[in-house]
Structure formats: structure tokens, C-alpha cells
Amino acid sequence: MKAFSNINVSSIDEAVSAAARARSNGQSVAFSGGGTDLLQQLKDGTDKSDVIINLRNVDGAKEISSANGTTRIGGLITLEELSNSDVGDVSYVLAQAAASVGTPQIRNVATLSGNVTQRPWCWYYRNGFNCYKAGGDECFSVTGENQQHAIYGGGPSFIVHPSDVAPALVALGASFIVAGPDGESNVSADEFFVMPSQDPAKENSLASGELLVGVSLPTPRASSVSHYHKIMDREAWTHAEVSVAAVLTMNGEIVESASIVLGGVATVPWKLTEVENYLVGRQLSADVVTMAGQMAVSSARPLAKNGHKIPMTAAAVERTLLALVNG
Ligand SMILES: Cc1cc2nc3c(=O)[nH]c(=O)nc-3n(C[C@H](O)[C@H](O)[C@H](O)COP(=O)(O)OP(=O)(O)OC[C@H]3O[C@@H](n4cnc5c(N)ncnc54)[C@H](O)[C@@H]3O)c2cc1C
Ligand code: SF4
């Protein structure tokens, strides 16, 4: 394993300054939340950072606070804390998504920010192939083993965005709070998540030396309902083959607004705008939810070995909406 140094910081400002100092010395930097992904990447050599800035002891970095119709969640909150927090009362989909991640051991340590910014789990990248994600200039999955790869938004890389929490955040209309040398800024999901066509090496817009401090969510209306549905390739602790995060605002039995986002099938959390528009003004009858499932996959483009994701995605959308009808 490559040698690296570790810096423990107690504030976000300290973290940003430590990163700037290291970078000005020509050193590469990574931030560590729970370390569940980063430490393995350092061991495997897929992360070659010179300096690790450990955020675990940052004061107040895991707090949840609400003001003026907005809830701010600190990025150092663990997934276990998030799944059991009050946020679950109003943003149930987020608590469900956090509870669906990995194993209890991982959820007790892994953080919200680390989950959203974890690197892809494509087997080529994780096994040291010099593909786009590793700084190379080709994608081995296009003609290789692509069973678990993207059916939306692919090219030139075909990773699926690995986070369960991210689709729930996007469905809830979250913005992403980023800190860097120029201070703190709120970044919309559209700007935060980066398609491979924009930059095949990255999954988000964080520049070197910038970190994800947390997220900001508009408080959902009282008539909102939400649900997270995840399908895995085995009945145990793993990433989604496909997942659906849905947030609906209801007027009685009629859908007033809809926000539906897919995980596990696209290079970024994938918003189903056409389906959302279709659902508005409709009652969630059996015909309507079936149509929503079909519409969801009309723009999907499978690779040679992941065609199974098409019926799986249609069914997942249908089941998610049925779960909201049936409570
Ligand atoms: C067996 C197994 C099963 C898993 N199953 C799932 C699953 O079902 N669903 C799922 O979503 N994930 C799954 N994961 C991935 C796991 O959830 C991630 O390892 C974890 O969420 C990462 O959180 P962390 O806080 O430990 O991040 P870390 O390991 O600390 O960091 C992960 C990455 O994010 C960067 N980073 C961390 N914090 C910040 C920050 N504040 N700002 C900027 N960059 C930062 C790090 O530099 C690193 O690149 C699984 C992992 C394993 C090993
Ligand atoms: S899908 Fe992405 S991570 Fe996988 S081989 Fe292709 S470029 Fe690399």
C-alpha cells in the first residue's frame, strides 16, 4: 500500500485549510468520512492520495436543523443515525434509503457525505484496470462484463451511480452544501452530479480541495408521501440493481406533484421527468402505475448483458407507486 499521511481536523475551515496547504505542496488530498470505502481504495491502490483529511471529529458536522422551511443535515451523520432520525417523519424516503445500505456495521460508520461521494463499484475500475475512472482513455465494460452497468446516461463510462441515499436526496429536491477555499455554496443536484459525457473521470462537481459539508432539503408539504424501493441481485447487503425514490404530493387521491428518481441504473441519480409529468392530475390506478413503469424505460438503452434491467426498472417504478397507494 502506498504511504499517506493522516490529518485529523476539528472544523470545516480547518479541513479546507489543510487541503489547500497540502495541495500547495504538490500533494493530492482525499477527505475521509467513515473511511469504509476510502480505506479499501487506498489498500487496493485505486485511490493514490498523499494526504487523508479525517473529518470524523469535526464539531457539529452531523447535526440536523430546520429553519424557514428548510432542513439542513450535516454530512457526517452516519447512515444508521440518519435512518433513525426525525427526518424520517417528513422525508421517509431518505430514512428508508439510508437503512437499505450495506450491512449494519457499514451503516454505523459510513456517513451521508461519504455515501453520496463514494466512487463507482464497476469491477474493472475496482480491480485496477486503467479505464476512464482511473485516468485512462477507454471503457472496458462496453464490450466486456456489463451486467450491472448503466441503461441511462452512459458513455463514455457506463458506471451506475452507487449511492442509495443520492436518489432519495434528489427526489426530495435537495441541494448540496459544498465548502472550499472560496467559502460555502449551495449546489443544485443538476450541477452536483456529473455525467460521464461532461467528465468521464468524475461523478460529481467537487473540485480538488472541496468537500461536501451536508445537504439542504425543502421541508415536504404535509400532504406529501414518499417511498424507497430497492431491488438487489441477492437478498443481502449490496448495492441496488435498480432502486426508485418517489415523493408525491397528494390532493386526496389525485397526484398534485411527483418527483421520481432511479438509482442503480444510470450514471447519475436519474430523474424521470416524463413520468412525473404524466402522473400529475391522475389517480394512481392499476393502469396508471403500469403506464408509468412503461414510460420509465422508454428511453433506456441497455448494453449487451444488462437487458434484464429494463423489465426490472419498469416493475420497480410500478411497485413503488403501488406501495404509496397501499400505504
Ligand atoms: C459490502 C458492502 C456493501 C455496500 N452496500 C452498499 C449499498 O447497498 N448501498 C450503498 O449506497 N453503498 C453501499 N456500499 C458502499 C458504502 O455505503 C460506502 O462505503 C459508504 O457509504 C461510504 O461512506 P464513508 O463515510 O465511509 O465514506 P469514506 O470511505 O470516508 O469516503 C468515500 C469516498 O467519498 C469521499 N468523501 C468522504 N467524505 C467526503 C466529504 N465530506 N466530501 C468530499 N468527499 C468525501 C472520500 O474521499 C472517498 O472517495 C457498500 C460497501 C460495502 C463494502
Ligand atoms: S464503466 Fe466506467 S468504471 Fe467501468 S470500465 Fe468503463 S470507464 Fe471504467
Side-chain angles (χ1 to χ4, degrees):
M1 186 165 78
K2 174 183 172 297
F4 62 88
S5 55
N6 181 74
I7 301 176
N8 294 325
V9 293
S10 56
S11 72
I12 296 296
D13 284 349
E14 222 186 293
V16 170
S17 303
R21 230 178 4 258
R23 292 180 61 239
S24 69
N25 290 335
Q27 294 173 302
S28 56
V29 169
F31 294 101
S32 175
T36 59
D37 184 18
L38 182 61
L39 291 182
Q40 192 58 47
Q41 287 217 280
L42 287 163
K43 279 188 202 161
D44 292 345
T46 44
D47 189 301
K48 298 180 176 62
S49 300
D50 300 311
V51 177
I52 304 306
I53 299 175
N54 180 6
L55 304 170
R56 286 300 287 280
N57 301 320
V58 170
D59 283 340
K62 51 161 70 178
E63 279 170 13
I64 299 179
S65 58
S66 292
N68 306 322
T70 301
T71 299
R72 179 177 166 130
I73 307 175
L76 264 286
I77 192 168
T78 66
L79 299 178
E80 190 62 22
E81 289 165 337
L82 185 59
S83 64
N84 292 317
S85 69
D86 287 349
V87 81
D89 296 343
V90 285
S91 303
Y92 184 49
V93 65
L94 182 57
Q96 278 182 305
S100 82
V101 172
T103 63
Q105 290 87 344
I106 289 172
R107 292 195 298 275
N108 273 321
V109 181
T111 62
L112 168 65
S113 286
N115 185 263
V116 170
T117 55
Q118 64 178 290
R119 298 308 313 276
W121 289 74
C122 168
W123 38 61
Y124 292 108
Y125 170 60
R126 292 280 170 163
N127 283 298
F129 283 73
N130 190 33
C131 68
Y132 289 110
K133 294 292 179 190
D137 58 5
E138 62 184 304
C139 173
F140 298 91
S141 76
V142 179
T143 53
E145 299 304 315
N146 50 42
Q147 290 86 340
Q148 291 180 317
H149 288 71
I151 57 172
Y152 304 87
S157 164
F158 287 83
I159 59 132
V160 291
H161 196 278
S163 167
D164 274 302
V165 166
L169 289 171
V170 177
L172 287 164
S175 57
F176 296 79
I177 307 165
V178 171
D182 298 330
E184 206 173 275
S185 57
N186 269 50
V187 179
S188 70
D190 281 350
E191 291 171 85
F192 185 77
F193 294 104
V194 167
M195 302 260 293
S197 53
Q198 295 167 264
D199 184 344
K202 292 178 69 172
E203 298 82 50
N204 58 59
S205 59
L206 289 173
S208 176
E210 287 185 338
L211 69 142
L212 181 61
V213 177
V215 294
S216 178
L217 304 174
T219 307
R221 301 237 304 269
S223 56
S224 291
V225 288
S226 67
H227 188 66
Y228 189 69
H229 182 71
K230 175 175 174 180
I231 299 176
M232 295 175 282
D233 67 351
R234 54 179 188 266
E235 275 301 314
W237 312 310
T238 187
H239 292 90
E241 275 286 311
V242 53
S243 68
V244 184
V247 180
L248 304 182
T249 307
M250 304 299 292
N251 182 359
E253 294 191 345
I254 303 296
V255 176
E256 221 170 46
S257 70
S259 181
I260 304 189
V261 181
L262 299 176
V265 283
T267 50
V268 294
W270 196 254
K271 206 160 163 53
L272 294 174
T273 308
E274 199 191 350
V275 176
E276 294 170 349
N277 293 338
Y278 168 72
L279 290 175
V280 172
R282 290 190 154 82
Q283 205 173 340
L284 296 177
S285 66
D287 286 348
V288 165
V289 301
T290 303
M291 175 58 86
Q294 293 309 315
M295 284 176 97
V297 292
S298 61
S299 62
R301 297 286 173 268
L303 296 161
K305 297 181 181 176
N306 65 1
H308 63 280
K309 287 197 173 191
I310 303 264
M312 210 180 249
T313 302
V317 169
E318 201 175 324
R319 280 187 209 169
T320 308
L321 294 172
L322 285 175
L324 287 171
V325 179
N326 299 328

